């Protein structure tokens, strides 16, 4: 956690290329104000092990609602409790990232409570299997996966009926899709 002045002094671009060294990170309010009416926004709530995840979700949802951007903003998280916080505030479009089918009963119960409210379910293509595809099917939501960078991964995504993929190899992926 950092304060506003420290946040604004961070370098958000040089990891990508030296020519982006001067890029400064936006706050969530700045992102929504500057781009929320121009495009769809996908906000990811992170914080593995953070006991404030539910509250972070609630505050993010309040911020979006204050700016009247509920229809153009999606919430994404690996943490069901963060998405529960989003849903406690109001109906928002949420996408749950899953790394594995929850073995823990508490996680499974949380996931089952979220299913009726999900806009999509997203997973790593390397763990995609029939149980994950069935979960999306039972919830009646699209299945997305990441990161599809090989023929075998693309075949897996197609086999399980994935509707959206993320890839580091966009030109390669586009060449594989039917025209």
């Amino acid at each position: 956690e950092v304060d506003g002045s420290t946040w604004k002094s961070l370098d958000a671009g040089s990891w990508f290329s030296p020519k982006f060294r001067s890029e400064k990170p936006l706050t969530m309010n700045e992102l929504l104000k500057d781009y929320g009416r121009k495009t769809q926004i996908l906000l990811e709530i992170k914080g593995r092990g953070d006991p404030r995840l539910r509250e972070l979700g609630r505050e993010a949802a309040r911020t979006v609602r204050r700016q009247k951007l509920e229809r153009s903003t999606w919430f994404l998280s690996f943490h069901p409790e963060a998405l529960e916080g989003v849903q406690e505030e109001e109906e928002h479009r949420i996408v749950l990232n899953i790394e594995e089918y929850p073995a823990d009963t508490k996680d499974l119960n949380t996931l089952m409570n979220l299913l009726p409210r999900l806009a999509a379910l997203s997973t790593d293509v390397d763990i995609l299997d029939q149980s994950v595809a069935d979960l999306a099917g039972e919830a009646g939501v699209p299945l997305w996966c990441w990161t599809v960078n090989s023929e075998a991964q693309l075949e897996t995504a197609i086999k399980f009926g994935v509707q959206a993929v993320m890839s580091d190899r966009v030109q390669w992926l586009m060449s594989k899709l039917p025209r």
Side-chain angles (χ1 to χ4, degrees), residues 70-96:
E70 298 95 322
R71 295 187 155 272
S72 63
T73 305
W74 298 67
F75 291 89
L76 170 79
S77 186
F78 282 103
H79 313 292
E81 58 273 28
L83 296 176
E84 283 184 322
V86 169
Q87 287 298 299
E88 287 170 5
E89 278 307 306
E90 198 170 306
E91 289 297 312
H92 291 279
R93 295 188 286 184
I94 60 173
V95 179
L96 178 64

Side-chain angles (χ1 to χ4, degrees), residues 25-44:
L26 296 173
T27 65
M28 187 172 135
N29 279 323
E30 290 169 333
L31 173 74
L32 294 172
K33 181 179 173 257
D34 294 349
Y35 300 101
R37 298 208 185 322
K38 297 175 184 173
T39 189
Q40 298 282 310
I41 305 267
L42 181 63
L43 295 174
E44 183 174 5

Side-chain angles (χ1 to χ4, degrees), residues 41-141:
I41 305 267
L42 181 63
L43 295 174
E44 183 174 5
I45 301 171
K46 295 185 176 233
R48 183 178 308 273
D50 190 325
R52 301 168 302 155
L53 281 167
R54 184 182 295 273
E55 182 53 36
L56 289 171
R58 279 197 289 274
E59 185 54 37
R62 287 183 205 123
T63 300
V64 167
R65 189 178 63 240
R66 278 192 299 271
Q67 296 203 26
K68 297 179 174 45
L69 295 171
E70 298 95 322
R71 295 187 155 272
S72 63
T73 305
W74 298 67
F75 291 89
L76 170 79
S77 186
F78 282 103
H79 313 292
E81 58 273 28
L83 296 176
E84 283 184 322
V86 169
Q87 287 298 299
E88 287 170 5
E89 278 307 306
E90 198 170 306
E91 289 297 312
H92 291 279
R93 295 188 286 184
I94 60 173
V95 179
L96 178 64
N97 266 338
I98 58 173
E99 293 179 280
E100 59 190 47
Y101 198 93
D104 179 293
T105 304
K106 176 186 170 287
D107 287 347
L108 187 57
N109 288 337
T110 301
L111 176 61
M112 291 306 168
N113 289 334
L114 279 175
L115 285 180
R117 298 175 281 178
L118 288 180
L121 190 65
S122 177
T123 190
D124 183 337
V125 69
D126 292 329
I127 66 154
L128 180 58
D129 64 12
Q130 193 60 53
S131 67
V132 175
D134 290 347
L135 188 61
E138 290 165 19
V141 297

Side-chain angles (χ1 to χ4, degrees), residues 163-179:
Q163 288 99 344
V165 299
M166 288 148 256
S167 177
D168 297 319
R169 300 179 60 206
V170 175
Q171 290 178 328
W172 166 82
L173 182 62
M174 295 302 291
S175 75
K176 299 297 178 187
L177 298 176
R179 303 227 180 245

